Amino acid sequence: DIVMTQSPDSLSVSLGERATINCKSSQSILYSSNNKNFLSWYQLKPGQPPKLLVYWASTRESGVPDRFSGSGSGTDFTLTISNLQAEDVALYYCQQFYLTPWTFGQGTKVEIK
Amino acid sequence: QVQLVQSGAEVKKPGASVRVSCSASGYIFSSHYIQWVRQTPGQGLEWMGWISPETGDTNFAQKFQGRVTLTRDTSINTAYMELSRLTSDDTAVYYCAREGFISTAKTKYFYGMDVWGQGTTVTVSS
């Protein structure tokens, strides 16, 4: 199985500042036929289902604020939340869909400092 | 609008089975895989498997092999997940989700789970 490892497990960021979450896969998840990384980022808030934020490592889902951005390729990926807002307090997960079983990172909790 | 609506919360005893339904609307049900993911207390998200509503093909995480059954009824645009031999470790919120894709002339490229059901809480307790 591909192991997804996120860091840090939690972080506290002041309103308006930047939050950076890292995700590392145990093997490359770059799909050669379309040169896309099969990695998605999800936001999870209490009592709500997960929400897709970013797919193919760097493509923002429709309707997601542009303060959310994804980057990286191969095995190392980053989700950046610039200008952190109060509503961004949540758990964030990366997930690979390159090989089954699809696997998630352990999650990163983002809080307001 | 595109939505997935799941069945209500369940309380089960150890050893029992549970079936969760996922009713789709607002899109062509057969065109998108349905994924099943669970969130266990204190744990993160865990992928369980998927079903193709068009063909009925399934794929499961090895962990659930032999215990999970994924089916669908295309006449009512509904997918089902049944989990048997429940233990307390199966206490979780279970989600269905639609697998999004972008088509080219030659193939489909999946991009993640773009529409989610509201979740079904399953509690296993004696």
mmCIF file of all heavy atoms in Angstrom, chain B residues 106-123:
data_model
loop_
_atom_site.group_PDB
_atom_site.id
_atom_site.type_symbol
_atom_site.label_atom_id
_atom_site.label_comp_id
_atom_site.label_asym_id
_atom_site.label_seq_id
_atom_site.Cartn_x
_atom_site.Cartn_y
_atom_site.Cartn_z
ATOM 1 N N LYS B 106 -9.981 9.815 -25.536
ATOM 2 C CA LYS B 106 -9.523 8.430 -25.391
ATOM 3 C C LYS B 106 -9.863 7.804 -24.051
ATOM 4 O O LYS B 106 -10.023 6.593 -23.962
ATOM 5 C CB LYS B 106 -8.003 8.367 -25.589
ATOM 6 C CG LYS B 106 -7.528 8.690 -26.998
ATOM 7 C CD LYS B 106 -6.026 8.511 -27.107
ATOM 8 C CE LYS B 106 -5.532 8.790 -28.515
ATOM 9 N NZ LYS B 106 -4.067 8.612 -28.636
ATOM 10 N N THR B 107 -9.930 8.587 -23.025
ATOM 11 C CA THR B 107 -10.063 7.977 -21.709
ATOM 12 C C THR B 107 -10.658 8.940 -20.697
ATOM 13 O O THR B 107 -10.863 10.114 -20.969
ATOM 14 C CB THR B 107 -8.679 7.490 -21.209
ATOM 15 O OG1 THR B 107 -8.877 6.665 -20.065
ATOM 16 C CG2 THR B 107 -7.780 8.656 -20.842
ATOM 17 N N LYS B 108 -10.933 8.382 -19.518
ATOM 18 C CA LYS B 108 -11.369 9.196 -18.391
ATOM 19 C C LYS B 108 -10.210 9.333 -17.419
ATOM 20 O O LYS B 108 -9.504 8.358 -17.141
ATOM 21 C CB LYS B 108 -12.508 8.498 -17.642
ATOM 22 C CG LYS B 108 -13.828 8.427 -18.343
ATOM 23 C CD LYS B 108 -14.830 7.692 -17.430
ATOM 24 C CE LYS B 108 -16.187 7.596 -18.098
ATOM 25 N NZ LYS B 108 -17.147 6.863 -17.241
ATOM 26 N N TYR B 109 -10.052 10.518 -16.848
ATOM 27 C CA TYR B 109 -9.059 10.746 -15.804
ATOM 28 C C TYR B 109 -9.781 11.111 -14.519
ATOM 29 O O TYR B 109 -10.462 12.126 -14.451
ATOM 30 C CB TYR B 109 -8.083 11.857 -16.200
ATOM 31 C CG TYR B 109 -7.206 11.478 -17.364
ATOM 32 C CD1 TYR B 109 -7.367 12.088 -18.609
ATOM 33 C CD2 TYR B 109 -6.213 10.514 -17.231
ATOM 34 C CE1 TYR B 109 -6.572 11.739 -19.677
ATOM 35 C CE2 TYR B 109 -5.408 10.167 -18.312
ATOM 36 C CZ TYR B 109 -5.598 10.771 -19.532
ATOM 37 O OH TYR B 109 -4.808 10.434 -20.597
ATOM 38 N N PHE B 110 -9.645 10.235 -13.542
ATOM 39 C CA PHE B 110 -10.285 10.499 -12.260
ATOM 40 C C PHE B 110 -9.543 11.599 -11.529
ATOM 41 O O PHE B 110 -8.335 11.777 -11.701
ATOM 42 C CB PHE B 110 -10.326 9.226 -11.420
ATOM 43 C CG PHE B 110 -11.118 8.134 -12.065
ATOM 44 C CD1 PHE B 110 -10.510 6.997 -12.533
ATOM 45 C CD2 PHE B 110 -12.493 8.265 -12.208
ATOM 46 C CE1 PHE B 110 -11.240 5.987 -13.132
ATOM 47 C CE2 PHE B 110 -13.236 7.265 -12.810
ATOM 48 C CZ PHE B 110 -12.603 6.124 -13.276
ATOM 49 N N TYR B 111 -10.254 12.323 -10.695
ATOM 50 C CA TYR B 111 -9.589 13.416 -9.993
ATOM 51 C C TYR B 111 -9.941 13.520 -8.525
ATOM 52 O O TYR B 111 -9.500 14.407 -7.835
ATOM 53 C CB TYR B 111 -9.815 14.760 -10.692
ATOM 54 C CG TYR B 111 -11.232 15.272 -10.740
ATOM 55 C CD1 TYR B 111 -11.854 15.818 -9.619
ATOM 56 C CD2 TYR B 111 -11.951 15.256 -11.928
ATOM 57 C CE1 TYR B 111 -13.139 16.317 -9.669
ATOM 58 C CE2 TYR B 111 -13.242 15.756 -11.987
ATOM 59 C CZ TYR B 111 -13.829 16.280 -10.861
ATOM 60 O OH TYR B 111 -15.099 16.782 -10.922
ATOM 61 N N GLY B 112 -10.736 12.592 -8.015
ATOM 62 C CA GLY B 112 -11.035 12.648 -6.592
ATOM 63 C C GLY B 112 -12.519 12.572 -6.345
ATOM 64 O O GLY B 112 -13.323 12.476 -7.272
ATOM 65 N N MET B 113 -12.884 12.630 -5.081
ATOM 66 C CA MET B 113 -14.276 12.479 -4.677
ATOM 67 C C MET B 113 -14.913 13.848 -4.554
ATOM 68 O O MET B 113 -14.643 14.580 -3.594
ATOM 69 C CB MET B 113 -14.328 11.674 -3.375
ATOM 70 C CG MET B 113 -13.890 10.236 -3.599
ATOM 71 S SD MET B 113 -13.684 9.265 -2.080
ATOM 72 C CE MET B 113 -11.971 9.636 -1.700
ATOM 73 N N ASP B 114 -15.729 14.196 -5.555
ATOM 74 C CA ASP B 114 -16.196 15.578 -5.652
ATOM 75 C C ASP B 114 -17.565 15.838 -5.023
ATOM 76 O O ASP B 114 -17.906 16.998 -4.768
ATOM 77 C CB ASP B 114 -16.179 16.050 -7.117
ATOM 78 C CG ASP B 114 -17.125 15.268 -8.018
ATOM 79 O OD1 ASP B 114 -17.653 14.219 -7.572
ATOM 80 O OD2 ASP B 114 -17.330 15.700 -9.168
ATOM 81 N N VAL B 115 -18.351 14.815 -4.805
ATOM 82 C CA VAL B 115 -19.651 14.976 -4.162
ATOM 83 C C VAL B 115 -19.757 13.900 -3.088
ATOM 84 O O VAL B 115 -19.497 12.728 -3.373
ATOM 85 C CB VAL B 115 -20.810 14.851 -5.166
ATOM 86 C CG1 VAL B 115 -22.155 15.005 -4.454
ATOM 87 C CG2 VAL B 115 -20.674 15.886 -6.283
ATOM 88 N N TRP B 116 -20.181 14.310 -1.898
ATOM 89 C CA TRP B 116 -20.234 13.387 -0.759
ATOM 90 C C TRP B 116 -21.651 13.318 -0.196
ATOM 91 O O TRP B 116 -22.376 14.316 -0.203
ATOM 92 C CB TRP B 116 -19.296 13.852 0.349
ATOM 93 C CG TRP B 116 -17.845 13.750 0.002
ATOM 94 C CD1 TRP B 116 -17.159 14.520 -0.899
ATOM 95 C CD2 TRP B 116 -16.888 12.839 0.557
ATOM 96 N NE1 TRP B 116 -15.835 14.138 -0.939
ATOM 97 C CE2 TRP B 116 -15.641 13.118 -0.053
ATOM 98 C CE3 TRP B 116 -16.946 11.830 1.517
ATOM 99 C CZ2 TRP B 116 -14.475 12.394 0.268
ATOM 100 C CZ3 TRP B 116 -15.790 11.120 1.837
ATOM 101 C CH2 TRP B 116 -14.580 11.404 1.204
ATOM 102 N N GLY B 117 -21.992 12.140 0.296
ATOM 103 C CA GLY B 117 -23.196 12.023 1.094
ATOM 104 C C GLY B 117 -22.987 12.686 2.445
ATOM 105 O O GLY B 117 -21.868 13.071 2.801
ATOM 106 N N GLN B 118 -24.067 12.800 3.191
ATOM 107 C CA GLN B 118 -23.998 13.511 4.475
ATOM 108 C C GLN B 118 -23.363 12.662 5.582
ATOM 109 O O GLN B 118 -23.048 13.188 6.643
ATOM 110 C CB GLN B 118 -25.401 13.983 4.912
ATOM 111 C CG GLN B 118 -26.265 12.932 5.588
ATOM 112 C CD GLN B 118 -27.019 12.036 4.624
ATOM 113 O OE1 GLN B 118 -26.660 11.904 3.447
ATOM 114 N NE2 GLN B 118 -28.075 11.401 5.126
ATOM 115 N N GLY B 119 -23.176 11.382 5.322
ATOM 116 C CA GLY B 119 -22.589 10.489 6.314
ATOM 117 C C GLY B 119 -23.658 9.737 7.099
ATOM 118 O O GLY B 119 -24.753 10.254 7.346
ATOM 119 N N THR B 120 -23.338 8.512 7.456
ATOM 120 C CA THR B 120 -24.216 7.667 8.268
ATOM 121 C C THR B 120 -23.417 7.172 9.457
ATOM 122 O O THR B 120 -22.384 6.508 9.280
ATOM 123 C CB THR B 120 -24.728 6.467 7.448
ATOM 124 O OG1 THR B 120 -25.519 6.937 6.356
ATOM 125 C CG2 THR B 120 -25.547 5.529 8.328
ATOM 126 N N THR B 121 -23.892 7.492 10.653
ATOM 127 C CA THR B 121 -23.211 7.038 11.862
ATOM 128 C C THR B 121 -23.647 5.620 12.184
ATOM 129 O O THR B 121 -24.841 5.343 12.304
ATOM 130 C CB THR B 121 -23.546 7.963 13.043
ATOM 131 O OG1 THR B 121 -23.098 9.284 12.729
ATOM 132 C CG2 THR B 121 -22.833 7.488 14.305
ATOM 133 N N VAL B 122 -22.674 4.745 12.293
ATOM 134 C CA VAL B 122 -22.925 3.363 12.692
ATOM 135 C C VAL B 122 -22.233 3.143 14.031
ATOM 136 O O VAL B 122 -21.028 3.342 14.164
ATOM 137 C CB VAL B 122 -22.398 2.366 11.647
ATOM 138 C CG1 VAL B 122 -22.556 0.930 12.137
ATOM 139 C CG2 VAL B 122 -23.113 2.558 10.310
ATOM 140 N N THR B 123 -23.028 2.765 15.017
ATOM 141 C CA THR B 123 -22.499 2.499 16.351
ATOM 142 C C THR B 123 -22.642 1.017 16.641
ATOM 143 O O THR B 123 -23.730 0.458 16.499
ATOM 144 C CB THR B 123 -23.257 3.311 17.417
ATOM 145 O OG1 THR B 123 -23.172 4.710 17.084
ATOM 146 C CG2 THR B 123 -22.667 3.082 18.804
#
